[in-house]
Amino acid sequence: MYDCIIIGAGISGCSLAFELSKYSGKVLWLEKNNDVADETTKANSAIIHAGYDPEPDTLMAKYNIRGNKIIPTLCKDLDVPCKNIGSLVVGFSEEDDRTIEMLYKRGVQNGVENQRIIKQPELSVMEPNLNPDCTSALYAPSACIINPWQFAIALSEVAIQNGVELHLNEEVTSIKKDGDIFIVNDTYKAPLVVNCAGVMCDHVTGLIKKPDYKITPNKGEYYLLDKSQGNMVHHVIFQCPTKIGKGVLVAPTVDGNLIVGPTSTNTDENDYSTTSAGLKIIRENAVKSVPNMKLQENIRTFAGLRARSDTKDFIIGEDKDVHNFFLIAGMASPGLSSASAIALDIVRMMQEKDYFLNLKKDYVSTRKVVRFKEMSHEQRKEYIEKHPEYGRIICRCETISEGEILDAIRRSPKPVSLDGIKRRCNAGMGRCQSGFCGPRVQEILANELGVSQLDIVLDKNGSYILCGRTKEDGDE
């Protein structure tokens, strides 16, 4: 018997597991994939929004503002890259100027601090590569950029260290209730269940009742540009939002690249494809903001899914029909920005029901990661003397050592894929996108896991890289 079962290990599930792990209680955490942060959390704009965009008096507005204050400190505690660079919503016309004024007033109502409207020539001084036709912008200095998957992984590592029991490769296919006790997958029992299943939230709710909301997966496609373009802008650059979203953005990443996108297309829960039509939309719109960036310096295109609810807001809290069945659903943007604040509120709701009342005296709340490329030459020399594996560079693009890869494999949750390694320590994240280091990482991972290289996958289960030897011994 458990005290709580969490379904889903994206940023919502990771944030909740982290917060619950601070309290006495037995928590089971179920995830259908072979790793945490392997859906929406691994493919998004990586922005902690300031909070001017959500409609006032919505859950999105409430939790975005709170999350914006919480997450930078959490990232510092967990040694996760997070940079407070601020954002600009740029306008090109009188109509855009009116939208910017509206967003400013909305930000004031929501509680965004220190935002202001700026005009030329100050705008061009702040961003020299911005289109000079930009007439005004809303500047929100509290916006941040982050590494979202490393944030989720860090939260999960600490949660597990504090005693949360994570079961990967465990898709939830049934939820029943026997009196006050939930029975999940005909095996696991608990008085509390929290549905954090992302684009599948309505499907999971449908296992216990008829859902009174609908989630529509909405695909966003992106370009990731080489570090040669990383200094084209110094803030997150948005265009004025429309009914379908915040528009195409151009932003630095915490690793020094430039991210450009996304699109907005309703799709199904398994569609992570990029399309020539979608990428064309990005190109045509992005150059309106930053005309001189070189999109031909692209090193990767990718797509992520937003979990858009027909309620047009987050769905947070206890289900109105099923006692002690909690929802963290509809987590489209600003879901990443809001997840930590929502987790704290869900814990509070449980405590009002007399669960998770006793704070552990010795819970872990911090984490430290060794990043070889951030060390000075003297620090590297000293560290290699104690840990020789750090003297072998595996990923040349990102200067990632064998020691960092081994550390990533030996932490829990243990990665079992090349992308799982990439998300933890950036091996394969650079210009060649694993072209050079991929085979070596695959060999290290297979050796550490005690399996054949044939068993190592690129990402999700079934995404095999090798199918056999090209020439067996004795073949001519």
Side-chain angles (χ1 to χ4, degrees), residues 55-59 61-62 109-110 313:
E55 293 283 350
D57 302 317
T58 60
L59 294 176
K62 168 186 172 182
Q109 192 170 349
N110 288 347
D313 199 2

Side-chain angles (χ1 to χ4, degrees), residues 212-223:
D212 45 15
Y213 65 96
K214 177 175 174 56
I215 299 296
T216 299
N218 181 269
K219 181 170 69 173
E221 300 171 54
Y222 293 87
Y223 280 96

Side-chain angles (χ1 to χ4, degrees), residues 40 47 101 202 223 228 300 311 325 345 356 406 410 413 431 460:
T40 298
I47 296 164
E101 181 68 31
D202 54 350
Y223 280 96
S228 65
R300 190 176 188 86
T311 68
F325 185 77
D345 229 13
F356 296 99
L406 291 171
R410 292 167 184 173
R431 179 177 294 178
K460 289 183 169 61

Side-chain angles (χ1 to χ4, degrees), residues 46-105:
I47 296 164
I48 305 303
H49 294 282
Y52 52 74
D53 191 65
E55 293 283 350
D57 302 317
T58 60
L59 294 176
M60 286 181 170
K62 168 186 172 182
Y63 289 120
N64 187 164
I65 295 296
R66 292 183 185 178
N68 178 270
K69 297 179 185 299
I70 293 169
I71 289 174
T73 300
L74 260 180
C75 287
K76 184 177 180 181
D77 290 343
L78 297 172
D79 198 9
V80 172
C82 178
K83 296 180 180 179
N84 178 206
I85 64 172
S87 65
L88 292 166
V89 182
V90 299
F92 299 87
S93 64
E94 290 183 2
E95 182 181 355
D96 285 349
D97 289 347
R98 289 191 291 272
T99 299
I100 286 168
E101 181 68 31
M102 178 273 293
L103 289 174
Y104 172 80
K105 292 177 179 177

Side-chain angles (χ1 to χ4, degrees), residues 200-403:
M200 298 298 289
C201 269
D202 54 350
H203 172 76
V204 169
T205 294
L207 298 175
I208 191 70
K209 58 165 277 189
K210 183 178 180 179
D212 45 15
Y213 65 96
K214 177 175 174 56
I215 299 296
T216 299
N218 181 269
K219 181 170 69 173
E221 300 171 54
Y222 293 87
Y223 280 96
L224 182 67
L225 305 189
D226 188 60
K227 292 180 181 180
S228 65
Q229 301 300 295
N231 288 321
M232 286 298 295
V233 296
H234 306 288
H235 304 79
V236 179
I237 308 298
F238 293 106
Q239 295 172 4
C240 283
T242 66
K243 291 181 180 180
I244 64 171
K246 296 181 175 69
V248 172
L249 64 86
V250 179
T253 72
V254 291
D255 294 313
N257 299 86
L258 197 71
I259 190 171
V260 186
T263 54
S264 178
T265 309
N266 290 341
T267 186
D268 64 65
E269 66 271 12
N270 297 310
D271 180 14
Y272 287 90
S273 64
T274 55
T275 64
S276 58
L279 297 174
K280 180 181 178 182
I281 290 171
I282 296 172
R283 291 194 303 271
E284 291 175 346
N285 284 275
V287 295
K288 184 179 180 181
S289 298
V290 187
N292 294 327
M293 67 179 166
K294 297 178 180 178
L295 284 162
Q296 64 267 32
E297 291 289 294
N298 172 57
I299 62 172
R300 190 176 188 86
T301 59
F302 66 94
L305 300 180
R306 312 169 182 92
R308 284 192 170 164
S309 164
D310 58 357
T311 68
K312 301 187 187 307
D313 199 2
F314 297 151
I315 303 166
I316 308 298
E318 186 177 18
D319 186 89
K320 63 183 180 64
D321 299 318
V322 183
H323 181 62
N324 284 348
F325 185 77
F326 289 85
L327 296 165
I328 303 180
M331 293 290 283
S333 181
L336 173 64
S337 311
S338 306
S340 295
I342 290 170
L344 287 169
D345 229 13
I346 294 292
V347 173
R348 177 191 58 77
M349 294 174 195
M350 292 179 177
Q351 290 172 337
E352 289 175 351
K353 293 173 169 287
D354 293 330
Y355 294 96
F356 296 99
L357 297 176
N358 299 315
L359 199 65
K360 295 174 182 174
K361 295 180 180 179
D362 57 350
Y363 71 85
V364 177
S365 61
T366 61
R367 185 194 74 143
K368 187 67 179 173
V369 177
V370 176
R371 294 185 177 92
F372 187 73
K373 68 179 177 181
E374 296 178 2
M375 295 179 177
S376 68
H377 289 303
E378 287 302 316
Q379 288 172 328
R380 290 179 181 181
K381 181 180 178 182
E382 182 179 345
Y383 207 79
I384 290 169
E385 287 177 356
K386 297 179 181 178
H387 310 280
E389 62 273 20
Y390 276 83
R392 295 186 286 273
I393 300 301
I394 303 300
C395 174
R396 295 181 181 180
C397 295
E398 295 293 308
T399 319
I400 306 300
S401 67
E402 182 178 357

